[in-house]
Amino acid sequence: MEKKDNVCIRRVVVNVKGIDIEFDEYYKINPENGEEVFDRNIEIDNDIRLYDIYKKRVNLLTTNEIKLIRKKYGMSQKEFSKILGLEETMIYRLENGSIQTKDVDAVIRLSDEPDTMYNMLVKNKPNFNEEEHLRFMKII
């Protein structure tokens, strides 16, 4: 176990959707009594790292890979979701660690190709006003 700024690391095994994953879990201790204390940011970081390991094991895009595809087009999470025809909050959840289905993963992978992204924009044109649609056409 390693300590830094009252944050410790322990090796744990966690089962995610039937797969045991061993990873370094961070946790915070109270320096006055040595007891473990809840830290929301540490827990969020643990979940993202854990789920990204799971995603790699089952051949899904990781949190960062999804962000990179979206940022490639300079779009907000909401805009990217609308072009892909996904629920508006879907990309937000995925970029914050949620695990996508294989179908959603396939759509995001396809969007990495500009020609496919263009076709998705054309198909989902009703999701945008004319100005937004033209702006995205230029980006893609």
Side-chain angles (χ1 to χ4, degrees), residues 19-88:
I19 297 176
D20 286 337
I21 297 172
E22 186 176 349
F23 83 113
D24 290 332
E25 178 183 65
Y26 301 142
Y27 64 99
K28 195 168 194 172
I29 58 167
N30 180 332
E32 294 175 14
N33 60 19
E35 291 183 11
E36 187 173 338
V37 295
F38 177 79
D39 184 299
R40 184 175 189 276
N41 292 328
I42 291 174
E43 292 301 320
I44 290 169
D45 179 65
N46 282 334
D47 286 346
I48 290 172
R49 288 183 304 100
L50 172 65
Y51 293 159
D52 276 349
I53 293 168
Y54 169 83
K55 290 174 184 183
K56 285 180 184 177
R57 291 234 182 118
V58 298
N59 198 32
L60 295 173
L61 293 167
T62 64
T63 301
N64 194 51
E65 290 169 331
I66 293 169
K67 285 180 189 177
L68 289 174
I69 293 170
R70 175 181 62 81
K71 288 180 178 183
K72 168 181 170 177
Y73 298 108
M75 296 176 182
S76 70
Q77 294 169 339
K78 183 177 178 179
E79 293 164 342
F80 192 54
S81 291
K82 287 168 67 174
I83 287 177
L84 301 183
L86 300 172
E87 182 182 318
E88 284 189 18

Side-chain angles (χ1 to χ4, degrees), residues 2-15:
E2 180 182 315
K3 292 184 181 182
K4 183 181 179 188
D5 298 325
N6 300 324
V7 175
C8 300
I9 300 173
R10 61 183 164 216
R11 196 76 176 162
V12 297
V13 176
V14 178
N15 189 286

